[in-house]
Amino acid sequence: MTKRSCRSLLAIGLVLIGLVFQITWAQTETVGEGSPVKPAILDAKIAETESAAGLPEGVKRVLHRREQQRLADADAYLAALLREADANAQTGPLRARLLELVDERRTLLDKAIESEDALLLKLGELETAQSDLLATIKQFDALLDVNLLWVRSASRTELAELGALPDQVWRIISPSGWTAVAGVLLHQAIHSPIFVLFGVFLVLFLWGRKHLIQWIAAISERLGKPTSDRFVYSLQVLLITLLAAAAWPLVAAVIGWQLRVSSQATDFSMAVGSALLALAMQFYLLRGLRLICIPRGLAAAHFRWPAPSLRLLRRELDRLSWTYLPAAAVLLVIVHLDPLNAGWAAGRVAFVALVVSLAIAFYRLLHPRTGVFAHSTRREAGRPLPFIDRLLYPLIVIAPLVIGVLEVMGYLY
């Protein structure tokens, strides 16, 4: 039975009660000077029923259940009503008529409770169906984001959004946020023995890093001599280089890990920790390539790469370390703080700075005349490299810029 049917039944019941009340009142006038049954009894019950109609279904159900329990004993219910009205119903026909009214009210309440139970069941089913619908919509949105690359997943960056840029940047550089980060690290240093052990290990690792680099230079002195040169030296230098490059990235990873797992972590410290963990591997790759290109290192002493190419590589890798990594860190922190809005305008500005730094690095490293391949044997002989010069070089330089333009236009995936 629906909610509308329930209300209709209640209205019909109230009308019947009103009609019966008129008849009963007419009968009570002939009883005499005793204590007639006053109309306030049923008027109060009608007012109570009408006031309950505007309540939530759950509350009305509870009230109706209580009324149903009272109506289980018709005689006691009638006696209570008469006491409340300070009346009596000693006349047989009058009492019988009042009992009939009580039975009719009980029947109506039974039907109302049955309708409310059915309504609550349907509401539960509706809520479940709505939850399933929302989950399906989210899955469909994710499917569209992946497969419909020509459909924007965010609004275009407008110039008006740049007005909020100072406030968004301040949220990142605010002293209160970084004070909280320092407090989390201090708490971990006091309460986490693992963090202390890792800290001691990393301090020793950073102290011994310079000795690893000196070992690389010492091994390179043995190369080129028939009596001492071995291929295994190149493998040793590769392993030592990769080990020495891991020092500072490990520091970043351990700090990020502790910022995430701390019981005192804040939203900002969690964002910083996630960014450090995500950037640790990229930081390691940059430092590893930088150490490979050091003088008397793996590329110079073992692979005999030209010195001008190695100087260019070192310069661009250092530049990326000071441009790409900070931009990526800012982007990751902002996105973790506000993933729904893709990091606000500050996140898009950081992403543009990131792709521009990559494009500039690719432009300088792969330039046909001044890049790392400019000193190859084929180029020195005056023969160009058509695949690199005409196809690969422009694509690699333009690709980051195209991605940046798409991001500004709202194509975020």
Side-chain angles (χ1 to χ4, degrees):
M1 187 177 292
T2 63
K3 183 178 181 181
R4 182 177 297 176
S5 301
C6 177
R7 290 181 176 176
S8 300
L9 287 174
L10 288 175
I12 293 172
L14 292 176
V15 172
L16 291 175
I17 291 174
L19 292 175
V20 175
F21 171 75
Q22 292 179 358
I23 298 173
T24 306
W25 177 254
Q27 292 178 354
T28 56
E29 289 181 345
T30 63
V31 174
E33 296 296 329
S35 298
V37 179
K38 297 183 179 180
I41 304 174
L42 296 178
D43 285 345
K45 303 308 296 181
I46 294 172
E48 180 182 347
T49 303
E50 290 178 348
S51 63
L55 296 175
E57 294 299 328
V59 178
K60 288 193 295 183
R61 186 170 180 271
V62 172
L63 295 177
H64 289 164
R65 286 288 187 185
R66 291 179 180 176
E67 186 70 13
Q68 187 185 40
Q69 292 175 359
R70 294 176 61 191
L71 286 170
D73 188 349
D75 293 332
Y77 181 79
L78 180 59
L81 286 178
L82 293 174
R83 283 196 303 271
E84 291 176 5
D86 193 18
N88 57 63
Q90 301 298 330
T91 306
L94 178 59
R95 183 177 181 82
R97 190 55 186 162
L98 289 176
L99 289 175
E100 290 178 6
L101 291 177
V102 171
D103 291 337
E104 291 177 4
R105 181 173 179 82
R106 182 169 54 230
T107 302
L108 291 175
L109 279 176
D110 292 341
K111 293 180 179 180
I113 291 172
E114 182 182 355
S115 300
E116 289 163 357
D117 290 341
L119 178 60
L120 290 176
L121 179 61
K122 293 299 182 182
L123 288 176
E125 295 176 355
L126 178 62
E127 184 177 2
T128 302
Q130 185 178 13
S131 300
D132 295 340
L133 177 61
L134 291 176
T136 304
I137 291 174
K138 291 181 180 179
Q139 294 176 359
F140 188 68
D141 287 341
L143 179 66
L144 292 180
D145 289 344
V146 173
N147 295 280
L148 296 182
L149 300 180
W150 58 89
V151 178
R152 290 189 181 92
S153 57
S155 61
R156 288 184 300 177
T157 302
E158 304 291 345
L159 292 177
E161 296 181 11
L162 298 179
L165 189 60
D167 294 335
Q168 297 169 5
V169 173
W170 176 252
R171 185 177 180 184
I172 302 173
I173 64 176
S174 174
S176 60
W178 291 103
T179 302
V181 171
V184 171
L185 292 177
L186 179 61
H187 176 270
Q188 290 301 105
I190 297 174
H191 297 88
S192 176
I194 297 178
F195 185 40
V196 175
L197 291 176
F198 269 105
V200 174
F201 168 76
L202 290 174
V203 169
L204 296 176
F205 193 7
L206 291 173
W207 176 79
R209 180 175 176 272
K210 60 181 180 180
H211 298 287
L212 294 176
I213 297 176
Q214 293 173 358
W215 192 7
I216 292 173
I219 293 177
S220 65
E221 299 294 336
R222 306 176 188 176
L223 301 178
K225 300 177 181 179
T227 57
S228 60
D229 197 351
R230 298 288 187 276
F231 176 73
V232 71
Y233 292 156
S234 298
L235 295 178
Q236 289 178 356
V237 169
L238 176 61
L239 293 176
I240 296 171
T241 300
L242 296 177
L243 180 62
W248 287 110
L250 273 178
V251 173
V254 170
I255 292 176
W257 167 49
Q258 290 298 305
L259 288 175
R260 282 183 58 86
V261 302
S262 175
S263 60
Q264 303 296 316
T266 63
D267 291 340
F268 186 77
S269 66
M270 288 282 289
V272 173
S274 300
L276 289 175
L277 284 175
L279 287 176
M281 181 55 67
Q282 301 178 47
F283 189 18
Y284 176 65
L285 291 176
L286 287 175
R287 298 315 301 166
L289 292 174
R290 177 64 174 77
L291 283 180
I292 287 175
C293 297
I294 63 174
R296 296 192 298 174
L298 184 65
H302 296 258
F303 296 156
R304 300 291 194 270
W305 286 11
S309 297
L310 292 177
R311 282 196 299 270
L312 178 62
L313 278 170
R314 290 196 296 270
R315 184 169 63 249
E316 293 305 319
L317 289 171
D318 289 339
R319 189 170 292 156
L320 282 176
S321 298
W322 291 103
T323 56
Y324 170 83
L325 287 179
V330 171
L331 174 63
L332 290 173
V333 170
I334 294 177
V335 170
H336 278 93
L337 289 175
D338 188 11
L340 295 180
N341 296 320
W344 323 306
R348 297 191 179 187
V349 171
F351 186 81
V352 171
L354 183 150
V355 296
V356 168
S357 66
L358 284 178
I360 293 175
F362 291 151
Y363 172 79
R364 291 172 174 169
L365 290 173
L366 301 178
H367 195 278
R369 294 186 179 86
T370 59
V372 293
F373 298 107
H375 302 280
S376 64
T377 305
R378 188 180 179 90
R379 288 193 186 278
E380 289 179 351
R383 292 178 294 177
L385 299 173
F387 177 73
I388 295 178
D389 296 347
R390 300 176 185 176
L391 180 62
L392 192 60
Y393 172 63
L395 284 178
I396 294 177
V397 173
I398 294 174
L401 299 177
V402 172
I403 294 174
V405 172
L406 291 175
E407 194 270 348
V408 171
M409 296 177 63
Y411 295 92
L412 305 176
Y413 302 99

